[in-house]
Amino acid sequence: MSDTSYTPPRVWKWEPGNGGKFANINRPIAGPTHDKALSVGKHPLQLYSLATPNGVKVTIMLEELLAKGIEAAEYDAYLIQIGEGDQFGSGFVDVNPNSKIPALMDHSTNPPQRVFESGAILLYLAEKFSAFLPTDPAKRTECLSWLFWQMGSGPILGGGFGHFYAYAPEKYQYPIDRYTMEIKRQLDVLDRHLANNRYMAGDEYTIADMAIYPWYGALVKNRVYEAAEFLEAHTYTHVLRWAEELDTRPAVQRGRMVNRTFGEPSEQLHERHDASDFEHKTQDKL
């Protein structure tokens, strides 16, 4: 336990700048901070995102749809630099009033349909294109249960464990211990399930895998928070087996590159407008 004890005041007051790495973009109110229209490309599907785990969910889905030969899933992906506050531009807030990436506009409908929240986007695309969502009622329910498991569990991993372990300006044992315990429990949930299932919904690769992989697959592969050793990720052998299998899928590899601004330049495709961009417009070629 920490020697520092905090007694909350009767009424909380915001102190700008308090919050660690992302303090400059955190605030207790919603709405836009500036006027900025969003770009619109040539395809009906317009994605505004960044290659965080939540963003990667959707770019994997779109690339998987295209890999299945669904040409109507062609899309333009525009970079939203959350560290610079792009998500608070008026155009982005019109698409997602919650000011979080990813956000999608579907211009194939009249009027165009906005979709926000990564899980909602995965489900929207799965239903729109009849792909990666089982049609059997029992299997569909299993898939959606795991999809919503991730949506409920992910904030504990990101905003809880990730923040206090990797991003908080000061390290305190109590929150790190509290969230580490829960993340290890979540990994055990996944490991026990994947011991008897190839994918999250059984033998069928679905949007549940696409939702969970960018968070928990990345965690055990040490791609987020550099916490694999701390969490003893090597002990979750079934999660690792599953993550390594998904790593080999070409559409997953492409999806991880879109809107990526970190890592090797050859793995960064800041904007995506055509399949050929993966060959000609990665950062090492610009």
Side-chain angles (χ1 to χ4, degrees):
M1 295 291 291
S2 170
D3 293 334
T4 302
S5 180
Y6 170 66
T7 301
R10 291 181 62 86
V11 178
W12 181 82
K13 301 294 183 183
W14 179 37
E15 296 180 13
N18 182 18
K21 180 177 180 180
F22 300 103
N24 66 312
I25 59 171
N26 291 334
R27 59 195 183 117
I29 55 175
T33 60
H34 59 283
D35 290 328
K36 184 177 181 181
L38 292 175
S39 298
V40 179
K42 61 184 178 180
H43 301 299
L45 296 178
Q46 299 292 298
L47 179 67
Y48 306 96
S49 191
L50 180 68
T52 66
N54 284 335
V56 168
K57 295 176 191 177
V58 177
T59 48
I60 286 176
M61 174 60 164
L62 289 165
E63 291 299 325
E64 291 282 12
L65 290 168
L66 292 171
K68 284 178 70 70
I70 301 174
E71 296 180 1
E74 270 291 356
Y75 69 104
D76 296 277
Y78 290 96
L79 182 63
I80 299 296
Q81 293 276 27
I82 61 175
E84 298 175 11
D86 289 351
Q87 69 274 34
F88 300 118
S90 57
F92 189 88
V93 174
D94 284 344
V95 181
N96 185 355
N98 197 38
S99 293
K100 303 289 184 181
I101 63 93
L104 180 76
M105 285 296 298
D106 182 357
H107 292 271
S108 71
T109 66
N110 187 18
Q113 178 67 55
R114 74 179 186 183
V115 196
F116 58 92
E117 291 297 326
S118 57
I121 297 173
L122 290 178
L123 183 55
Y124 178 82
L125 293 172
E127 292 182 332
K128 180 180 180 70
F129 296 114
S130 300
F132 301 112
L133 181 63
T135 55
D136 175 79
K139 293 180 180 179
R140 174 187 170 91
T141 300
E142 182 75 3
C143 171
L144 294 180
S145 292
W146 284 111
L147 172 64
F148 286 102
W149 177 89
Q150 189 284 315
M151 296 300 293
S153 299
I156 304 298
L157 173 53
F161 175 78
H163 175 76
F164 286 104
Y165 180 80
Y167 300 139
E170 298 175 340
K171 300 290 190 290
Y172 293 105
Q173 183 177 351
Y174 174 76
I176 292 175
D177 283 352
R178 172 67 181 85
Y179 286 112
T180 298
M181 178 177 65
E182 173 60 12
I183 294 313
K184 288 182 71 67
R185 189 195 68 81
Q186 291 178 3
L187 286 169
D188 195 41
V189 169
L190 292 175
D191 204 58
R192 290 169 183 264
H193 178 69
L194 288 166
N196 300 307
N197 295 275
R198 181 179 179 184
Y199 299 116
M200 293 309 305
D203 292 332
E204 186 174 350
Y205 175 60
T206 70
I207 55 175
D209 299 286
M210 299 177 202
I212 295 170
Y213 164 84
W215 281 104
Y216 296 89
L219 184 66
V220 297
K221 298 291 288 184
N222 207 38
R223 293 174 183 148
V224 291
Y225 312 133
E226 297 184 353
E229 181 179 7
F230 179 73
L231 295 168
E232 295 182 297
H234 68 280
T235 64
Y236 302 102
T237 56
H238 304 294
V239 180
L240 280 165
R241 183 272 308 160
W242 165 81
E244 288 167 359
E245 179 175 349
L246 267 60
D247 276 352
T248 66
R249 297 181 68 92
V252 169
Q253 295 168 9
R254 292 192 298 273
R256 291 181 57 217
M257 294 172 62
V258 179
N259 298 143
R260 188 174 183 179
T261 60
F262 57 90
E264 293 297 324
S266 61
E267 298 175 348
Q268 297 182 38
L269 183 62
H270 287 190
E271 290 190 5
R272 188 267 189 214
H273 304 288
D274 187 83
S276 64
D277 292 348
F278 292 100
E279 297 295 328
H280 304 298
K281 294 187 177 180
T282 52
Q283 288 303 108
D284 61 321
K285 297 181 176 67
L286 298 180

